[in-house]
Amino acid sequence: MMKCSTFLFLSIYISLSSFATSANDKFFDSTIIKIHVLNRESGILELRCPGGTKIVRFINGKTTLSLSLNDVYEMRLLTKQKPKDWEDISIIKFLGEPSTISITFSLINEVPTGVVITGSKSQTEKEHWERENSDILEARENNWNAFQELKKVSDSTLYRIKENVLGAEFDSIFNIIGHRVGQYVQAHPSSFFSSYLLYHYHKRIQADSLALYYSKLSYFVKEGNFAVAVFDYLFTLDNNGFREEQSFGNLPALKTATNLFDFSFIDENKKTVELHRFKGKPTLLFFWATWCAGCHKEADKIKELIHLFKNDSINFLSISIDKSFEIFKKSNKKINLPCITLVDLRNELRYFYHFLYVPKIILVDATGKIIYDDDFENNSTSLKLILKNTLEQYYQKNANKKYDNIMFISLN
C-alpha cells in the first residue's frame, strides 16, 4: 500500500473519572498539541474530550490540534482503532495541561516507537519519576505478567501456592511504591504530578497514609482534577476520620445539614431551588452527569418510573453532578427527565451521602430518612416494589389518599 493512501487512526482520550470533579470552576486555557508521525504520510486523528469529539486529518505526517483545558489530565494517544485494553502497547499515555505539547514518534507494525513528548511540565516530571523508580515499576510489571501466566496452571493445589506467593509479592511491591509516592508528594507539594501519583495509586495506599499525603498538597494543587478525585475517595471511606478533619469552608451546608431538605441548588435556568419545599413526601433522587454513559442507560428506567407514579405523592429529582454549569448547559448529552432537574456543582449531596460513582439513586421518606440507596445493581422491578411499599406506608400514615394498586410495567 502506498504511503499517500495509508490512513492511520489515532485517538486522544482525556481520562476523566466519574468522580473527579472540582469544587470551583477554573479558568479554561488553551492547549496546543502538535503531533509528528515520522514515517507516515497521512492519517486521521480523533480527539475525544469533554464536550465533544474532533476528527482531524494529518498531512505530511503532521497536525496541530487545539483544545481548552483547565487542569492536568491523563491522555492517551491510540495508534489503532480498537486496542485490546488500556494497557495495549499501541497506546501512548501522557499528561496534558494548558501548554503547547509536541509528540513525535514512528510506527513499526502499528506500534509507536521512539516516542518523544515535550512541552508538558507534568509529563516531564512523570518520565523523571518513572526513570528514578524503574526498579520497582519493573518488578510490578513482572508480577503482573506472572499473574497472567498463572491462569494457565491447571493444578489447583499448585495454583493456590503460586497465587499466595505472587499475592505476597504484590503487596510488598505496592508497599514500596506507596512509600516512594509519599516521599515524592511531601517533597513536591506544589506539583500537579504529585496529585496524579496519589490518584494513580490511591487504592494501593493505606487510607491514613493517603490522607496524610493529600494534606501535604498545596491549596492550588488540591483544586485540581486528580486531587479532587483523591479527596472524594477519602471522604467516602468509612471510619477513617477524614471527614471530621475537613473544615468545608466553601461547603457550609455540610456543616449543618441533617437531611436532604436542608440543601438548595440551582435548576436548569440557574434559579435557586430550596429542597425544603419537597419535605413531607417521599423523594427519589437520580444522580447523573453528562459524561456518564451508564447514566443515560439507566435514565430510561427512571423516566418510566416517573410516568408510572406521576399521580402519586412522591417527588422525583434529577440531579446533575457536572462540575460547571456551562458544561451542563452546553452539553448535547443532558438527560431530560419529566421532573425538576438540579445541578449540584460542588457535589454537596455526593459528600453528604458518601458515594463516589454515578448513576446513583437514593430514596428518602417524607422526613429525609434514607429508605433505599443503590447504584443500579438491583433490577428496576425491585425499585418499583419499594416505591409501592413506600407509598402504601405514606398513605396509611397520612390517610389523605386511598392507594390503588398499580399495574407494573416491565422495564426490561
Side-chain angles (χ1 to χ4, degrees):
M1 186 177 291
M2 297 178 61
K3 282 186 178 181
C4 62
S5 61
T6 300
F7 292 95
L8 170 68
F9 177 89
L10 300 176
S11 172
I12 295 179
Y13 172 75
I14 298 181
S15 176
L16 294 174
S17 138
S18 62
F19 53 84
T21 54
S22 174
N24 299 300
D25 292 341
K26 295 189 289 296
F27 176 72
F28 279 75
D29 205 347
S30 176
T31 297
I32 305 298
I33 300 178
K34 297 180 178 180
I35 296 175
H36 187 188
V37 186
L38 296 174
N39 61 340
R40 290 296 174 92
E41 196 67 26
S42 61
I44 295 175
L45 194 71
E46 179 177 331
L47 178 66
R48 303 179 191 177
C49 57
T53 299
K54 295 181 181 180
I55 306 294
V56 182
R57 181 191 301 271
F58 64 83
I59 301 173
N60 298 323
K62 296 181 179 180
T63 190
T64 299
L65 309 171
S66 178
L67 62 153
S68 291
L69 292 182
N70 67 335
D71 211 332
V72 178
Y73 295 98
E74 184 176 40
M75 306 175 76
R76 296 177 173 95
L77 186 64
L78 281 64
T79 58
K80 62 182 180 182
Q81 189 170 3
K82 293 182 179 180
K84 62 181 181 180
D85 53 43
W86 288 122
E87 301 303 319
D88 195 287
I89 59 175
S90 65
I91 300 174
I92 300 172
K93 298 179 182 180
F94 66 100
L95 295 179
E97 60 189 22
S99 62
T100 298
I101 301 171
S102 296
I103 306 174
T104 303
F105 60 95
S106 297
L107 282 169
I108 306 299
N109 297 324
E110 303 306 314
V111 176
T113 60
V115 179
V116 177
I117 303 172
T118 60
S120 167
K121 183 175 182 292
S122 297
Q123 175 63 21
T124 300
E125 292 179 43
K126 179 175 183 286
E127 292 174 2
H128 177 75
W129 189 85
E130 290 175 345
R131 285 194 300 269
E132 291 288 311
N133 295 278
S134 59
D135 60 331
I136 196 64
L137 295 179
E138 183 178 348
R140 182 191 64 178
E141 183 68 17
N142 292 337
N143 181 265
W144 168 256
N145 291 335
F147 265 116
Q148 299 308 304
E149 287 296 315
L150 184 60
K151 295 177 181 178
K152 301 176 183 179
V153 176
S154 57
D155 186 310
S156 59
T157 302
L158 180 61
Y159 181 94
R160 285 194 297 271
I161 293 172
K162 288 190 173 183
E163 183 182 39
N164 290 335
V165 172
L166 289 175
E169 181 182 316
F170 176 88
D171 292 339
S172 176
I173 288 171
F174 275 99
N175 282 337
I176 296 172
I177 290 177
H179 178 68
R180 294 187 185 182
V181 167
Q183 287 182 319
Y184 188 91
V185 171
Q186 293 180 88
H188 304 85
S190 298
S191 166
F192 280 95
F193 174 65
S194 290
S195 64
Y196 165 79
L197 274 178
L198 286 184
Y199 168 69
H200 192 65
Y201 293 106
H202 71 280
K203 292 185 178 179
R204 302 299 181 189
I205 300 174
Q206 291 186 352
D208 55 350
S209 296
L210 184 64
L212 172 64
Y213 303 152
Y214 169 85
S215 70
K216 301 298 182 181
L217 295 175
S218 70
Y219 174 82
F220 188 67
V221 171
K222 283 181 179 178
E223 288 290 291
N225 162 53
F226 295 120
V228 170
V230 174
F231 176 92
D232 282 1
Y233 175 76
L234 287 168
F235 193 84
T236 54
L237 292 178
D238 290 328
N239 303 319
N240 68 335
F242 183 78
R243 300 173 198 156
E244 290 72 22
E245 296 171 2
Q246 306 307 308
S247 62
F248 299 111
N250 62 338
L251 299 172
L254 290 177
K255 294 181 179 180
T256 59
T258 59
N259 59 50
L260 171 71
F261 305 119
D262 292 329
F263 290 89
S264 63
F265 302 102
I266 58 174
D267 64 13
E268 294 178 279
N269 299 311
K270 229 171 184 177
K271 293 183 178 178
T272 299
V273 176
E274 296 181 350
L275 299 195
H276 67 75
R277 62 183 276 193
F278 301 105
K279 191 173 184 179
K281 293 182 181 179
T283 301
L284 186 139
L285 311 173
F286 173 57
F287 295 92
W288 58 278
T290 56
W291 41 260
C292 170
C295 298
H296 291 266
K297 179 181 178 181
E298 302 300 340
D300 288 339
K301 298 178 182 179
I302 300 299
K303 185 180 295 185
E304 189 162 348
L305 287 174
I306 293 173
H307 175 74
L308 194 61
F309 292 94
K310 64 182 179 181
N311 296 321
D312 289 284
S313 295
I314 183 169
N315 303 310
F316 288 91
L317 296 178
S318 170
I319 303 177
S320 163
I321 62 166
D322 283 286
K323 68 177 182 179
S324 84
F325 187 80
E326 287 67 30
I327 290 175
F328 164 80
K329 197 69 174 177
K330 293 179 181 178
S331 175
N332 59 2
K333 295 183 179 180
K334 289 200 299 289
I335 292 177
N336 296 311
L337 294 175
C339 64
I340 292 176
T341 296
L342 304 174
V343 188
D344 184 359
L345 296 176
R346 298 183 294 182
N347 282 220
E348 290 177 281
L349 286 180
R350 282 184 59 235
Y351 294 147
F352 184 75
Y353 288 121
H354 312 311
F355 69 89
L356 283 175
Y357 306 107
V358 290
K360 179 76 170 179
I361 51 174
I362 292 177
L363 174 66
V364 301
D365 66 13
T367 67
K369 180 181 178 181
I370 295 177
I371 301 173
Y372 183 75
D373 182 345
D374 189 45
D375 53 5
F376 288 94
E377 291 180 353
N378 296 325
N379 60 48
S380 55
T381 302
S382 298
L383 181 54
K384 283 188 286 187
L385 292 174
I386 290 170
L387 289 175
K388 177 180 181 291
N389 292 334
T390 299
L391 284 167
E392 285 178 337
Q393 294 174 17
Y394 171 79
Y395 291 137
Q396 289 173 6
K397 183 176 181 180
N398 291 274
N400 58 358
K401 179 178 179 181
K402 181 179 179 181
Y403 184 71
D404 297 321
N405 288 331
I406 294 177
M407 292 295 292
F408 292 110
I409 304 172
S410 173
L411 300 183
N412 297 325

